[in-house]
Amino acid sequence: MPLADFDVVLGLEVHAQLLTRSKIFCGCSTAFGAEPNAHTCPVCLALPGALPWLNREVVEMAVRAGLALGCAIQPTSVFARKNYFYPDLPKGYQISQYERPICLGGAVEFDLGGEERRVRLTRIHMEEDAGKNLHDLAADGSSGVDLNRAGVPLLEIVSEPELRSVDEAVEYLKALRAVLVALGVNDGNLEEGSFRCDANVSVKPRGAARLGQRCEIKNMNSFRFLRQAVEFEVRRQVEVIEAGGKVEQETRLFDPARGETRAMRSKEEAHDYRYFPEPDLPPVRVDPALVAAARAALPELPRARARRYQERLGLPAADAGLIAGEPEVARFFDAALEASGKGAEAARRIANWLNGDVARLANESGLAPRDWRLSPGALAELVGLIEAGTVGGPGAKQVLEECFRSGASPAAVVREKGLAQVSDAAAIDAVVERVLAASPAEVERYRAGNAKLLGFFVGQVMKEMKGKGNPAVVNAAVKKKLGGP
Ligand code: ADP
Ligand code: ZN
Ligand code: MG
């Protein structure tokens, strides 16, 4: 059977680092990038006798995320020990939640190809992150362990096996990430690993009711790698079945250098975690008043924001979704619109610039909106200059690039670089006359009925004026001088 005769089924486990200042079970800082082991204490080093105590803000953030995703917040949940040995785990167990997580149910909603999709969540639970092994530290090739990350709070968000393609998986992750970032509980950074995803992948004959055996894939720190990993894994599983074999349940590691997944460990061993309730922490009780307060304080969520942009500002769905899907970009957009002091017309222009040239410049520079030198006020000013006819399309592009690079004000750039659009009729007429005089044959053909040549003349005039001619005035002047065909 070819690939097309199989259904792909995906379930995702997301680990999102919470943006608390201190760790989940001690007062150590969660700040990234310090000297190895600078942010440690007896608790996160697992010294004998040290006891954990729960950071209240972790619970509040879990509740906020649960409410935003429509989960049932559990009045009582229980921490559990997940036992395994690894050098980056000094206690020999991870404190997580198992049978009684803080959130059950809920869903992530997103659009795919114009269709609305809703993928249900199984659960959300709180847990601690592990440390990091550092290899080849010295000339002797020795390894070390950095425990700065040990005890950093995580939410694990587990989906039902309801995703049907890698495209869906990517949209699901973008939507989930946008919600968490909008809530201020996560920074959404895949590359740095503060938003990580393991993908459970299985295939089954098209239309079959029973799910196939799954493999869990780890180590994908970008959407591109997720795509490669899942596509490789689907092909591999189909080939195993085609060859008459059986897919074994196992954990596989994605190798970005080869674009392949490789068996890491079989699931049977991995499952032997000997979970039991954490004896050093009491059950977590969530006060209904805390839930009510969190609900009342929820910010506008990305999908609601996108809907508002469509309904109130008339943005096309795709543009609204792009902006609202990146909470930092959305804040920038709102600020620019406010600075413009105008309504829907300015909104469309600002959105076009944001999704077009600004997005391109941001990509090329790798800068997040908070690090842009372009301010919302500057983008509003540029749009104002365009609306007033002070600068034309090609000039505006140049102005934007300069403002993005240097943080200068658009009006100043227009002045200093001489990019102002020329609308002066006498100046334009002079250029038109020169252009027509230089191409008598084309003028002849135009007057004989070849109307298409209008574009040629306009292009010549624009070229002479280095793109600064006001297109409407140039067009009119060319038509007038040529006389109608
Ligand atoms: P484990 O700890 O064994 O990984 P979890 O319950 O934490 O178990 O995660 C299971 C994940 O695997 C969920 O996201 C679930 O949707 C997904 N899953 C379960 N069965 C399948 C399957 N047959 N195909 C694809 N994904 C699956
Ligand atoms: Zn500590
Ligand atoms: Mg798993």
Side-chain angles (χ1 to χ4, degrees), residues 69-114:
L69 295 164
C71 308
I73 312 297
Q74 304 303 294
T76 303
S77 65
V78 174
F79 279 105
R81 288 190 183 179
K82 179 178 181 179
N83 298 281
Y84 65 93
F85 175 78
Y86 203 65
D88 66 7
L89 190 73
K91 294 193 296 295
Y93 58 86
Q94 176 194 31
I95 304 181
S96 180
Q97 295 191 302
Y98 187 54
E99 285 174 328
R100 302 190 64 181
I102 187 158
C103 301
L104 291 175
V108 174
E109 294 173 352
F110 55 93
D111 289 327
L112 186 73

Side-chain angles (χ1 to χ4, degrees), residues 310-443:
Q310 287 178 64
E311 287 165 10
R312 300 251 191 93
L313 301 173
L315 293 192
D319 290 339
L322 274 176
I323 293 173
E326 295 278 351
E328 269 192 61
V329 175
R331 274 193 287 276
F332 188 100
F333 172 78
D334 286 353
L337 187 60
E338 184 169 346
S340 80
K342 303 216 184 78
E345 179 57 26
R348 260 195 301 276
R349 285 185 191 264
I350 291 169
N352 284 340
W353 282 98
L354 266 180
N355 288 334
D357 288 87
V358 176
R360 174 178 56 81
L361 291 166
N363 261 336
E364 285 167 8
S365 62
L367 292 176
R370 81 186 88 102
D371 300 320
W372 293 350
R373 304 191 71 178
L374 178 79
S375 68
L379 184 58
E381 184 181 316
L382 177 61
V383 163
L385 292 173
I386 298 165
E387 278 177 352
T390 309
V391 65
K397 251 186 193 321
Q398 263 174 278
V399 174
L400 179 75
E401 275 171 26
E402 178 60 26
C403 296
F404 194 90
R405 199 182 55 73
S406 70
S409 117
V413 174
V414 169
R415 228 179 305 119
E416 278 155 28
K417 305 223 154 176
L419 291 168
Q421 177 163 265
V422 178
S423 301
D424 176 56
I428 290 176
D429 279 350
V431 181
V432 172
E433 266 163 35
R434 245 182 294 142
V435 164
L436 298 192
S439 306
E442 281 81 3
V443 172

Side-chain angles (χ1 to χ4, degrees), residues 186-409:
N186 180 249
D187 69 13
N189 196 323
L190 272 79
E191 281 76 16
E192 285 174 11
S194 43
F195 182 93
R196 328 193 261 274
C197 160
D198 301 337
N200 292 271
V201 181
S202 69
V203 300
K204 62 182 174 64
R206 173 127 298 178
R210 238 182 82 199
L211 296 185
Q213 184 62 277
R214 74 179 151 122
C215 289
E216 179 171 339
I217 315 174
K218 291 182 179 294
N219 198 36
M220 302 153 295
N221 68 348
S222 69
F223 291 124
R224 189 166 65 88
F225 287 157
L226 174 82
R227 239 173 234 292
Q228 278 184 15
V230 171
E231 278 164 10
F232 177 88
E233 183 59 20
V234 166
R235 251 182 286 122
R236 188 191 70 82
Q237 292 185 10
V238 167
E239 277 165 20
V240 167
I241 295 169
E242 295 282 70
K246 258 178 60 190
V247 174
E248 297 293 335
Q249 184 171 356
E250 61 191 3
T251 302
R252 300 178 65 87
L253 209 61
F254 176 65
D255 176 350
R258 293 165 162 243
E260 296 174 2
T261 67
R262 264 203 312 275
M264 183 164 96
R265 56 176 186 243
S266 78
K267 198 69 193 178
E268 286 75 35
E269 284 165 64
H271 235 152
D272 227 2
Y273 288 127
R274 300 283 199 277
Y275 278 103
F276 63 87
E278 168 59 62
D280 291 339
L281 288 164
V284 181
R285 300 206 193 278
V286 178
D287 189 342
L290 186 151
V291 177
R295 196 189 296 279
L298 283 182
E300 183 182 38
L301 295 173
R303 288 181 61 80
R305 198 167 201 155
R307 230 172 293 128
R308 174 165 64 85
Y309 289 162
Q310 287 178 64
E311 287 165 10
R312 300 251 191 93
L313 301 173
L315 293 192
D319 290 339
L322 274 176
I323 293 173
E326 295 278 351
E328 269 192 61
V329 175
R331 274 193 287 276
F332 188 100
F333 172 78
D334 286 353
L337 187 60
E338 184 169 346
S340 80
K342 303 216 184 78
E345 179 57 26
R348 260 195 301 276
R349 285 185 191 264
I350 291 169
N352 284 340
W353 282 98
L354 266 180
N355 288 334
D357 288 87
V358 176
R360 174 178 56 81
L361 291 166
N363 261 336
E364 285 167 8
S365 62
L367 292 176
R370 81 186 88 102
D371 300 320
W372 293 350
R373 304 191 71 178
L374 178 79
S375 68
L379 184 58
E381 184 181 316
L382 177 61
V383 163
L385 292 173
I386 298 165
E387 278 177 352
T390 309
V391 65
K397 251 186 193 321
Q398 263 174 278
V399 174
L400 179 75
E401 275 171 26
E402 178 60 26
C403 296
F404 194 90
R405 199 182 55 73
S406 70
S409 117

Side-chain angles (χ1 to χ4, degrees), residues 86-89 130-135 137 143-147 149:
Y86 203 65
D88 66 7
L89 190 73
K132 233 183 195 149
N133 293 338
L134 304 172
H135 300 295
L137 286 178
S143 293
V145 182
D146 175 8
L147 294 174
R149 206 181 61 184

